[in-house]
Amino acid sequence: MNKNYLSRLHTLATVLLGMLLLSGCQIESEPKSELEQIKERGVLRVGTLNNQLSYYIGPDGPAGLDYELAREFANELGVQLEMKPAYRISSLYPALRNGEIDIIAAGLSQSPERLKAFRPGPAYYYVSQQVVYKKGQWRPRNLEQLLELQSELEQSNDNEPVIQIVGDSHFNQTLAAIQQEHPQFIYKVDPNADVNDLLKKVSEGDLQFTVADSVEVSLSQRIYPEIALAFELTEDQPTSWFLRRSQDESLYALLIEFFGYIKQSGHLASLEEKYIGHVDSFDYVDTRAFIRALDSKLPKWSPLFKKYSDEFDWRLVAALAYQESHWNPLAKSPTGVRGMMMLTLPTAKSVGVTDRLDPEQSVKGGVEYLRRMVARIPDSIEEHEKIWFALASYNVGYGHVMDARRLTKRQGGNPDAWSDVKDRLPLLRQKKYYSQTRYGYARGDEARNYVENIRRYYQSIIGHVEKQTLAEDNDNVDDLTVIQVPDQVASQAQPLSAAESTVDQLEAD
């Protein structure tokens, strides 16, 4: 073999080696995908709103619809969850743009403005934009009526606009479009307020109108019962999580798959029932009385509820006690129940209560009775829903609740889902249904209303406590809370097929 050939071969080998090394460097230097960065970091960073729907700190730690969904998504990725809560959404937009967070999960609607700036995930519920006013004041039934009287209303308001909205909202685009069509339409944007601030102003009569999402209005009515719907500005709009817009599909693809799975499994419906399943019903007179009681009576009795609530949220125990007696320790009924928790004589004896009119004994005994009810609820029902079945049993009896589950199964519903069973409870009043049940006639409609009332009171107490806390806090969103999902929580969080109904056991109940 001649020397020239060997020299050329050596040169070629050197070039090929260089190319391979260069190629390796290029591959190594390619930027990692969003998903790879999250897994390498070991943390999913989620921006959210600190409110009674998306994220709040309860007695047992973090809670909220978006928090629970984010926790489960982080678990699917095999990483920790880091929540970045804010009181105003404007604080989260730059954090997402700058890469300080990976996702905004705050129940935000898919407005054109947001769709232009960010990539939406799948819709998980729907809201409409509503004009809100204070009960007892003039109510416009539609936009035309508001436009007709706008000038007159402004004159009586020191020539100031009578409708205000928050500064970073998608409502601005809706009202701007109205203004373009009706140049005489005037509204004011408050850059320093959040929706809760303006709803409170409307409730107190300091502001005539504002705009809010329908779910937020329904939840806020538990705290500000004076606010009411004047008219709807939009049709229902999808809400979703939001990601940065980029060519990187890695995180987005998994998010699509995640929401598809939890929808199909029914787990999403279960979580939505937990947090917003009670919002459709609202009793103005009852809520006003309850809000007054939060200030006048709850401070006296809350230490007692906290003392004996044990594994239950003390605010839930307080809500149960209000439903039973309106926090009156001497309450009596013609049917023989009495005391703060309105115990029957046999029930009181079974839980060791010797004096039903002693509030401490009554609360302690009522919690023990509730604990026993929860323990009887089948394990096929998700932990967070067992309490609703137990409360219905507390009211109408365990056997009748099991009858309602059997009826739900026969009608093709899910007997392990409170949202399905509560709709069958009223059927226990009708002979064609209760004649086929094991325990017969029952006032199932009262049991359903009983549970839904407690859920509403519970939400109001949460909102009331949160409102007091917010008054002491500021908008600093730089404080990150890293939440490690424990193994046992992680396994419960997964919407597994094993969590599907095991209602074959019903016939044995």
Side-chain angles (χ1 to χ4, degrees), residues 394-451:
Y394 192 106
N395 176 259
V396 77
Y398 178 80
H400 291 303
V401 174
M402 293 303 103
D403 278 344
R405 293 184 70 226
R406 295 185 190 95
L407 183 58
T408 302
K409 181 186 177 183
R410 286 200 296 268
Q411 293 186 349
N414 181 1
D416 292 336
W418 174 247
S419 58
D420 285 2
V421 175
K422 73 179 181 181
D423 289 338
R424 272 71 178 194
L425 276 168
L427 300 181
L428 298 180
R429 271 189 181 270
Q430 301 179 34
K431 187 175 182 179
K432 68 176 180 178
Y433 295 110
Y434 73 70
S435 61
Q436 303 172 28
T437 64
R438 186 171 300 179
Y439 294 93
Y441 172 88
R443 295 194 296 271
D445 54 333
E446 293 181 10
R448 180 187 64 180
N449 294 339
Y450 174 89
V451 176

Side-chain angles (χ1 to χ4, degrees), residues 176-473:
I178 294 173
Q179 192 176 62
Q180 189 170 4
E181 187 174 350
H182 305 278
Q184 75 275 23
F185 177 64
I186 299 175
Y187 64 97
K188 181 178 179 180
V189 176
D190 188 337
N192 299 314
D194 65 9
V195 175
N196 184 73
D197 295 334
L198 298 185
L199 288 172
K200 182 181 180 182
K201 281 188 176 182
V202 171
S203 173
E204 295 174 345
D206 297 328
L207 175 63
Q208 196 147 4
F209 306 108
T210 190
V211 180
D213 286 335
S214 52
V215 170
E216 187 155 19
V217 172
S218 295
L219 288 171
S220 296
Q221 283 179 318
R222 273 66 186 173
I223 309 168
Y224 309 120
E226 301 291 340
I227 63 173
L229 166 65
F231 61 91
E232 291 193 313
L233 274 178
T234 67
E235 298 291 331
D236 285 343
Q237 301 172 320
T239 62
S240 66
W241 290 359
F242 286 88
L243 293 76
R244 282 182 297 280
R245 283 203 172 276
S246 72
Q247 298 298 315
D248 188 346
E249 300 277 340
S250 58
L251 183 62
Y252 178 69
L254 276 183
L255 190 65
I256 297 290
E257 184 179 336
F258 169 73
F259 271 97
Y261 184 69
I262 62 171
K263 283 181 181 178
Q264 186 178 12
S265 68
H267 190 64
L268 178 60
S270 175
L271 284 177
E272 290 181 347
E273 169 65 25
K274 177 180 179 180
Y275 286 101
I276 58 179
H278 62 290
V279 301
D280 290 336
S281 179
F282 172 68
D283 186 314
Y284 169 67
V285 175
D286 177 69
T287 304
R288 282 192 65 188
F290 179 63
I291 295 300
R292 287 195 296 269
L294 287 174
D295 292 321
S296 63
K297 293 183 178 181
L298 183 58
K300 178 179 179 180
W301 299 115
S302 58
L304 198 58
F305 300 137
K306 292 175 182 178
K307 181 177 179 180
Y308 291 108
S309 59
D310 295 329
E311 72 268 30
F312 300 112
D313 185 341
W314 74 267
R315 297 170 299 187
L316 178 65
V317 174
L320 170 58
Y322 186 84
Q323 171 65 25
E324 290 289 352
S325 68
H326 283 207
W327 296 329
N328 177 8
L330 304 179
K332 299 180 182 180
S333 87
T335 59
V337 295
R338 58 183 61 190
M340 180 76 81
M341 304 298 279
M342 295 297 274
L343 302 174
T344 65
L345 188 57
T347 297
K349 288 182 178 179
S350 73
V351 293
V353 173
T354 57
D355 182 0
R356 289 180 289 166
L357 299 183
D358 180 315
E360 188 154 356
Q361 284 195 45
S362 184
V363 171
K364 182 180 180 181
V367 170
E368 174 57 28
Y369 183 63
L370 180 61
R371 181 181 298 112
R372 294 179 184 181
M373 282 295 177
V374 171
R376 296 185 68 186
I377 302 303
D379 287 336
S380 58
I381 295 172
E382 289 195 40
E383 285 298 318
H384 74 262
E385 290 226 310
K386 283 186 177 182
I387 188 64
W388 313 131
F389 287 88
L391 287 169
S393 301
Y394 192 106
N395 176 259
V396 77
Y398 178 80
H400 291 303
V401 174
M402 293 303 103
D403 278 344
R405 293 184 70 226
R406 295 185 190 95
L407 183 58
T408 302
K409 181 186 177 183
R410 286 200 296 268
Q411 293 186 349
N414 181 1
D416 292 336
W418 174 247
S419 58
D420 285 2
V421 175
K422 73 179 181 181
D423 289 338
R424 272 71 178 194
L425 276 168
L427 300 181
L428 298 180
R429 271 189 181 270
Q430 301 179 34
K431 187 175 182 179
K432 68 176 180 178
Y433 295 110
Y434 73 70
S435 61
Q436 303 172 28
T437 64
R438 186 171 300 179
Y439 294 93
Y441 172 88
R443 295 194 296 271
D445 54 333
E446 293 181 10
R448 180 187 64 180
N449 294 339
Y450 174 89
V451 176
E452 298 303 276
N453 283 345
I454 291 172
R455 296 180 70 186
R456 289 192 291 273
Y457 296 145
Y458 179 40
Q459 196 70 47
S460 291
I461 296 173
I462 290 174
H464 184 75
V465 173
E466 287 296 308
K467 184 176 66 171
Q468 292 176 327
T469 303
L470 292 182
E472 301 170 0
D473 292 337

Side-chain angles (χ1 to χ4, degrees), residues 113-137:
E113 191 174 36
R114 288 183 185 135
L115 291 175
K116 188 182 298 182
F118 305 108
R119 170 182 277 172
Y124 59 116
Y125 64 90
Y126 292 77
V127 296
S128 61
Q129 296 179 32
Q130 299 183 338
V131 174
V132 179
Y133 78 113
K134 180 181 180 181
K135 274 186 174 291
Q137 296 188 349

Side-chain angles (χ1 to χ4, degrees), residues 261 265 267 380 494-502:
Y261 184 69
S265 68
H267 190 64
S380 58
Q494 293 176 351
L496 301 175
S497 57
E500 294 175 358
S501 170
T502 56

Side-chain angles (χ1 to χ4, degrees), residues 58-130:
D60 301 320
L65 175 59
D66 289 297
Y67 163 72
E68 290 208 36
L69 288 171
R71 183 190 68 190
E72 296 186 11
F73 186 51
N75 180 61
E76 290 290 331
L77 299 181
V79 298
Q80 294 181 8
L81 174 63
E82 182 177 273
M83 299 300 289
K84 187 167 186 177
Y87 297 133
R88 293 182 175 87
I89 191 61
S90 58
S91 304
L92 297 176
Y93 292 146
L96 183 59
R97 289 192 186 96
N98 298 335
E100 298 169 35
I101 56 178
D102 305 303
I103 296 171
I104 293 178
L108 302 182
S109 64
Q110 293 182 11
S111 66
E113 191 174 36
R114 288 183 185 135
L115 291 175
K116 188 182 298 182
F118 305 108
R119 170 182 277 172
Y124 59 116
Y125 64 90
Y126 292 77
V127 296
S128 61
Q129 296 179 32
Q130 299 183 338

